[in-house]
Amino acid sequence: MTNKIPSKVKSRYFQPPKFSDGLRRFGLLAILAYFAGFYLMGIVASDESIRKAAAKHIPISPAPFSLQGSPLELAQGVHSLFWHYLTHVPEQCSDSSRAVNNFQRLQCGEFWDRLSELGWVSSIPFLFSLGFLFFALDGVRQRFQKARRKINQEKSTGLAIVTDPAEASPDRISWWYGVQPITVQVADGKQVVAYLPPEAPVPPPGEKVALYEWGKIGGQKRFFAVLYAPHVAVLQGG
């Protein structure tokens, strides 16, 4: 009896996570990251250079605006001001041929500079939210790739027996990576929690699984498990 996993089945484990799955899992946290970025936007907007840019009088552009108040009020002010200027671009600036003299061209340059400065401040919440999603999904993808490499290189730490009950209590790791925690007993009789790939069914108590070291997650050594070869062969045939 071999403990090797058929090559055709290896590719079925730890498939790269779909964006839609990650969005469902991390969507709420991404919204929280957006609001954290929104508050930071207000702090950045309290800088004197930003307030001067918003209050600067440019005759050719819409009326200037005075930014003041708490960080949340400043953030709301910058956000509203940027979209107001973006949707009220002077005709002389949207079409350079309409500028009648160099003075108007100079004012257009000042208008675009102000819009650009307010624009990067207004983008902070979006950057926070998208940045969080990127790093969260990329972290899951890299962790899955590491697991696939371990399986392909057959770097199993040995066989383990699924305990009764098989399913362990869900934890932050199982939620974050979308994997199923199970309890297994290793050769020395110690019980450890291992994580099944999303594609693998939970084996019944007493079944054998191949155990792999997944590296440190949250400061602790973690393991993942895949079905032992006889059971994997059944999956391959299905």
Side-chain angles (χ1 to χ4, degrees), residues 11 43 49 71 83 116 123 145 147 176 183:
S11 61
I43 295 176
S49 63
W83 287 107
S116 176
S123 69
Q145 284 182 343
W176 188 270
T183 305

Side-chain angles (χ1 to χ4, degrees), residues 30 33-34 37-38 41 79 82-83 119 121-132:
Y34 175 88
F38 192 83
M41 179 173 65
H79 194 267
F82 169 72
W83 287 107
V121 178
S122 297
S123 69
I124 291 176
F126 299 98
L127 293 177
F128 256 56
S129 183
L130 293 176
F132 168 79

Side-chain angles (χ1 to χ4, degrees), residues 192-231:
V192 299
V193 174
Y195 299 91
L196 288 174
E199 302 84 6
V202 177
E207 296 289 353
K208 293 181 180 180
V209 293
L211 205 61
Y212 297 81
E213 187 175 324
W214 212 4
K216 284 191 174 182
I217 306 176
Q220 297 183 25
K221 184 184 294 185
R222 308 290 180 174
F223 299 89
F224 70 89
V226 296
L227 300 180
Y228 184 50
H231 312 294

Side-chain angles (χ1 to χ4, degrees), residues 81-116:
L81 189 60
F82 169 72
W83 287 107
H84 177 71
Y85 283 151
L86 187 63
T87 55
H88 293 79
V89 178
E91 291 184 357
Q92 297 90 333
C93 301
S94 59
D95 184 358
S96 59
S97 64
R98 291 179 178 269
V100 298
N101 52 45
N102 288 333
F103 182 61
Q104 284 191 346
R105 296 187 185 93
L106 179 62
Q107 291 181 71
C108 285
E110 294 177 341
F111 172 82
W112 289 120
D113 288 343
R114 176 168 64 186
L115 187 64
S116 176

Side-chain angles (χ1 to χ4, degrees), residues 5-192:
I5 299 175
S7 58
K8 289 184 179 180
V9 181
K10 291 178 183 179
S11 61
R12 300 176 66 174
Y13 288 128
F14 290 103
Q15 292 293 325
K18 296 179 180 179
F19 178 78
S20 58
D21 294 336
L23 191 61
R24 282 194 297 269
R25 194 154 63 249
F26 300 125
L28 179 59
L29 293 179
I31 293 174
L32 294 177
Y34 175 88
F35 283 109
F38 192 83
Y39 187 81
L40 177 61
M41 179 173 65
I43 295 176
V44 173
S46 66
D47 184 83
E48 189 64 26
S49 63
I50 303 298
R51 299 174 76 146
K52 282 184 177 180
K56 184 177 182 180
H57 177 60
I58 304 175
I60 203 172
S61 77
F65 184 84
S66 178
L67 294 175
Q68 53 187 322
S70 66
L72 289 177
E73 291 172 326
L74 288 170
Q76 185 177 3
V78 169
H79 194 267
S80 300
L81 189 60
F82 169 72
W83 287 107
H84 177 71
Y85 283 151
L86 187 63
T87 55
H88 293 79
V89 178
E91 291 184 357
Q92 297 90 333
C93 301
S94 59
D95 184 358
S96 59
S97 64
R98 291 179 178 269
V100 298
N101 52 45
N102 288 333
F103 182 61
Q104 284 191 346
R105 296 187 185 93
L106 179 62
Q107 291 181 71
C108 285
E110 294 177 341
F111 172 82
W112 289 120
D113 288 343
R114 176 168 64 186
L115 187 64
S116 176
E117 190 168 6
L118 295 175
W120 81 260
V121 178
S122 297
S123 69
I124 291 176
F126 299 98
L127 293 177
F128 256 56
S129 183
L130 293 176
F132 168 79
L133 274 179
F134 172 79
F135 285 111
L137 293 174
D138 188 63
V140 174
R141 181 184 60 83
Q142 291 189 30
R143 183 64 63 177
F144 279 23
Q145 284 182 343
K146 182 175 183 178
R148 288 166 68 87
R149 284 196 301 269
K150 292 268 187 168
I151 296 173
N152 289 329
Q153 296 167 3
E154 299 175 359
K155 291 187 175 181
S156 171
T157 61
L159 298 179
I161 305 297
V162 180
T163 63
D164 188 6
E167 296 185 18
S169 299
D171 55 22
R172 56 190 177 86
I173 294 174
S174 63
W175 179 86
W176 188 270
Y177 294 103
V179 291
Q180 171 65 51
I182 60 172
T183 305
V184 298
Q185 181 175 306
V186 294
D188 61 2
K190 182 180 178 181
Q191 292 188 358
V192 299

